Amino acid sequence: MMSTSSPVTPASKPFLWGAASAAYQVEGGIYTDQRGRSVWDYYLDDLSLAGPGISGAIAINFYEREQYLQDIALLQQWGINSYRFSMAWSRILPDGLGVVNPAAIKHYRQFILDLKAAGIEPMLTLYHWDMPLALARAGGWSNRESIDWFTRYAEVVFANFADLVELFVLVNEPLVEHAFTMVANERIAGQASQLAILPAEHQLVSALNAFNHILLASAAAKRSFQAKGYQGRLGVALPLMPTLTLEGASEQDKVAARLADGVLNRWFLDALYKGSYPADVLAVVAQSGLELSIQPDDAATIQAAQWDYLGVNYYAPMFIRHRATAQGAYTPEVFLPEGTYAAFNGPVRPDQFLALLTRLQTEYGNPVVMITENGAGFPNEDQLVNGAVHDTQRSRYLVGHIQAMQQARAQGANVQGYHVWSSHDNLEWLSGYDSRFGMIYVDFDTQQRIPKQSASIYARLIKGETVTEADCNL
Ligand code: FCB
């Protein structure tokens, strides 16, 4: 059903302005408090997939209270009222399934209380890719039993945190997680693979099966939350990516872009809001002679969970064209048109952020949307010069994208929160420590923090000041 109402942010719920992070990227302390091992310890610590000596062993030391209290004090100065962070599953349940670890519960409860004491509400992500190693070895999300594994974990989290937390993000970006799993496995097999967010044809079945399990796991966790009578709002965070073609693109290019949209965006959105998987994607899978392990009612079960909000991670659109050498029906190829202004995660296009939010409004019944991630990093931008970091490009990116979001809201999109990725520079997965995304510069050797120019720009935007992109050209 379409809603024509104007943006509603009930008086009791102020717009959320925040920043986001994820456990493995910031915590360090991988042996502290009986933490179990996750698949990312295996990738980086054991196999050095991000390069020699690069791992989450220390990261930005955020597990240590003395450290994070100083960080919260910095965030507080910007006027944020929300902080999105994730819990490490292998801290709560060190082997993934068995005994609950009271030290981890104690730690995260203290962290949440410390946030709240600073006037910052927690937005708790249960799963941001750090699958307990034993479960990854049992097949991870490709195993349908992962639905039960995750539900068990979620029930422990709800039982221990629902009294303190109102907003839960069940899972983060299944699509990008799968892409990392693929590239990690290929590198382990000795291939020099690069990260590719759009699954290749030979990865399609494993991707779509895993996405189905992740959405079913989230739906099961949501049902359990409701059944136990907890109060709160639950959603999943998707990396939504408009697919674009060049002007003058051929019909084949447009078909390829539409199909890529089916895999990247509609696969998730249609299941969550329409209770079905997109027919064009299913048809291409069938034409390619591939078989999915999806059961007839799965998508309906996912929709029936009735999502309280949609978490949107937006960075960039993706340019698609028809792959001339493609053999079968699955032909999309990702490319970056020459001369495109791009950040690490793709072309800088605030207009596509507006288009995406408008699409959710018109095609998916105007759900409550929380921007769970938006931000950018640029090659060589974050230079510490005379004690300061002038991250002009990031500042301009934030101004442009926040403007686009406000325009969408003014046009009726039901956006109720916005979180910058990220508060701090941190461990950017397989890219290690060189791809900085933070508004706070971190010296990874000394753990010194230096707020960048973007932090003060963001603080002004939160106050509602008019800031233009030109104001960022310091
Ligand atoms: C997103 C991830 C997040 C971070 C940013 C840059 O895809 O959710 O952990 O890596 O990109």
Side-chain angles (χ1 to χ4, degrees), residues 234-292:
L234 277 60
V236 297
L238 302 178
L240 297 176
M241 276 168 264
T243 59
L244 306 181
T245 52
L246 281 184
E247 234 177 63
S250 69
E251 206 40 50
Q252 282 183 315
D253 289 331
K254 289 182 193 157
V255 169
R258 175 84 188 144
L259 188 57
D261 174 62
V263 174
L264 300 169
N265 304 311
R266 283 182 286 119
W267 185 264
F268 299 93
L269 293 171
D270 285 11
L272 293 168
Y273 291 104
K274 298 182 175 170
S276 59
Y277 282 120
D280 56 342
V281 177
L282 294 174
V284 162
V285 170
Q287 274 174 48
S288 307
L290 304 167
E291 217 172 306
L292 297 172

Side-chain angles (χ1 to χ4, degrees), residues 25 128-129 172-173 176 313 315 345 373 421 428-429 437:
Q25 296 179 271
H128 200 124
W129 306 351
N172 181 70
E173 295 193 353
V176 183
N313 293 2
Y315 289 89
N345 281 6
E373 290 179 27
W421 184 276
E428 183 49 28
W429 307 109
F437 277 83

